[in-house]
Amino acid sequence: MGRHSSTPADELAVDWRSDRVGSARRGENPMVMAKVPSGYVVFGDTQHLPGYCVLLSDVDDADHLTDLTGAQRTQFLEDMALLGDAVFAVCGGRDPAFRRLNYEILGNSLHHLHAHVHARYAWEPAEFRKGPVWRYAYEDRFAEQHDPLSSPEAEELDELRTAITTEIHRLLKAR
């Protein structure tokens, strides 16, 4: 298990995954990397594509960008860009096969405003490189080997998480 949690992953699944924002606010979400002005940056539940992170809005009842005021919307998008800058810097510096980032705001499953930032790599199978990550089979994306809390690569994933977190804090200070 990764160093960011002392609770077994199967016990955490009952709590924080059912209320991601509330658990982040209470300090109970083990995936939280940083608090940013618009919400919380979390390490993705799966690291199928290493560096996957999510920005969770901290605005109650916000389901769409249009639910935010203009200032809140600008802040959310600036924070999403900052997260992307951090993932880009770290993943680009660690893996020469890093190609680009994909940004997505969907809301089809979790009805609370959040933004996905996916690192994309040249080592991905050709049939998946040009489309959204959701084209990968669910079983492949969420295989145990990609779980940052319980996979055999948890320590390596912790290093990636720490590097991205450090870069987020550096960028926040530079604002």
Side-chain angles (χ1 to χ4, degrees):
M1 171 177 326
R3 67 180 169 83
H4 292 285
S5 174
S6 59
T7 307
D10 58 341
E11 290 179 30
L12 290 170
V14 174
D15 294 334
W16 64 271
R17 286 187 174 137
S18 64
D19 181 13
R20 293 172 187 272
V21 176
S23 64
R25 289 174 178 158
R26 293 186 303 274
E28 298 170 359
N29 184 329
M31 306 309 277
V32 171
M33 301 164 69
K35 174 72 173 97
V36 294
S38 69
Y40 297 90
V41 173
V42 297
F43 205 48
D45 293 1
T46 177
Q47 290 297 306
H48 170 249
L49 297 170
Y52 168 53
C53 294
V54 179
L55 171 61
L56 301 172
S57 171
D58 196 22
V59 175
D60 288 325
D61 300 320
D63 188 18
H64 307 273
L65 273 174
T66 55
D67 293 335
L68 303 179
T69 66
Q72 290 171 322
R73 186 179 314 167
T74 297
Q75 187 64 63
F76 185 81
L77 293 172
E78 284 180 4
D79 290 344
M80 181 180 69
L82 179 133
L83 172 57
D85 290 345
V87 172
F88 188 94
V90 172
C91 293
R94 292 171 73 101
D95 188 338
F98 173 78
R99 292 180 41 241
R100 65 176 304 110
L101 293 176
N102 289 166
Y103 298 86
E104 296 179 306
I105 300 174
L106 302 170
N108 298 323
S109 297
L110 175 61
H111 292 282
H112 186 85
L113 180 61
H114 62 286
H116 303 267
V117 176
H118 296 278
R120 302 302 300 262
Y121 298 91
W123 48 255
E124 292 180 63
E127 66 269 23
F128 296 112
R129 264 187 243 141
K130 292 186 178 181
V133 298
W134 314 111
R135 291 181 54 226
Y136 283 96
Y138 181 89
E139 301 79 33
D140 293 336
R141 288 195 336 262
F142 287 93
E144 183 180 352
Q145 71 201 46
H146 305 304
D147 185 319
L149 295 176
S150 64
S151 86
E153 289 87 25
E155 292 304 316
E156 183 178 326
L157 293 172
D158 277 342
E159 291 173 14
L160 176 60
R161 173 189 171 136
T162 298
I164 295 169
T165 302
T166 299
E167 183 65 8
I168 289 167
H169 288 290
R170 187 190 74 73
L171 292 169
L172 283 168
K173 285 181 184 175
R175 273 188 170 172

